Amino acid sequence: MPQLVLVHPQIPPNTGNIARTCAATGTELHLVAPLGFEISDRYLKRAGLDYWQYVNLHYHESLDSFKTYYLERGGRWVGFSVKGESNYIEYQFQADDWLLFGSETTGLPPAVLSACHARVYIPMAQTGVRSLNLSVSVAVGLFEARRQLGYLRV
């Protein structure tokens, strides 16, 4: 099953909402520091409500430590970015993909984007809208990957 990676998330409620989505889908969640909050942040806990016990959470002290972990497990990095080249709907996800999302304010760092096997975007009809909320983008991307791979059946 694809894994979800948040690189330098900044807003606790977004991460809490994403954790809740991961709990509901059984998706592993990786947080790559530095974070814009403490893991014990009350807003983070509140957004995840009482679902934290169901989250398979991995915390990585740095991008380098995450890369080491990833290399041991293999797969592809799929970076979600407004600068992506492929529409996420048209991209063919694989079970061992790592879905990478950047911070709410700056997105994925350029070095991470360039290291991705693919860079995908979520299209928006209004040109004045720069991006979706991070937790919404994660849900959209994760559920499309799960749909393609047949993980929506319970």
Side-chain angles (χ1 to χ4, degrees), residues 58-135:
H58 304 270
Y59 176 77
H60 304 277
E61 292 284 338
S62 67
L63 196 51
D64 286 338
S65 68
F66 169 67
K67 285 180 189 176
T68 300
Y69 183 88
Y70 154 77
L71 288 172
E72 292 172 2
R73 294 185 66 183
R76 304 181 305 177
W77 281 11
V78 180
F80 280 74
S81 172
V82 295
K83 300 171 185 168
E85 293 95 20
S86 301
N87 184 321
Y88 82 107
I89 293 286
E90 297 165 356
Y91 184 75
Q92 296 300 303
F93 292 96
Q94 295 178 3
D96 63 352
D97 284 343
W98 299 73
L99 311 181
L100 278 72
F101 293 83
S103 79
E104 295 87 345
T105 55
T106 59
L108 286 169
V112 173
L113 269 177
S114 66
C116 288
H117 296 88
R119 288 161 293 284
V120 299
Y121 67 90
I122 300 169
M124 290 171 275
Q126 294 293 332
T127 57
V129 178
R130 291 186 315 273
S131 64
L132 297 171
N133 175 276
L134 179 61
S135 62

Side-chain angles (χ1 to χ4, degrees), residues 4-9 15 18 29-33 35 37 39 44 52 57-62 65-66:
L4 194 57
V5 182
L6 301 181
V7 179
H8 311 153
T15 301
I18 292 164
L29 175 60
H30 299 264
L31 300 181
V32 180
L35 310 179
F37 51 86
I39 293 292
L44 178 70
W52 283 101
L57 179 64
H58 304 270
Y59 176 77
H60 304 277
E61 292 284 338
S62 67
S65 68
F66 169 67

Side-chain angles (χ1 to χ4, degrees), residues 3 15 24 50 96 140 151:
Q3 307 213 24
T15 301
D50 56 349
D96 63 352
V140 166
Y151 291 127

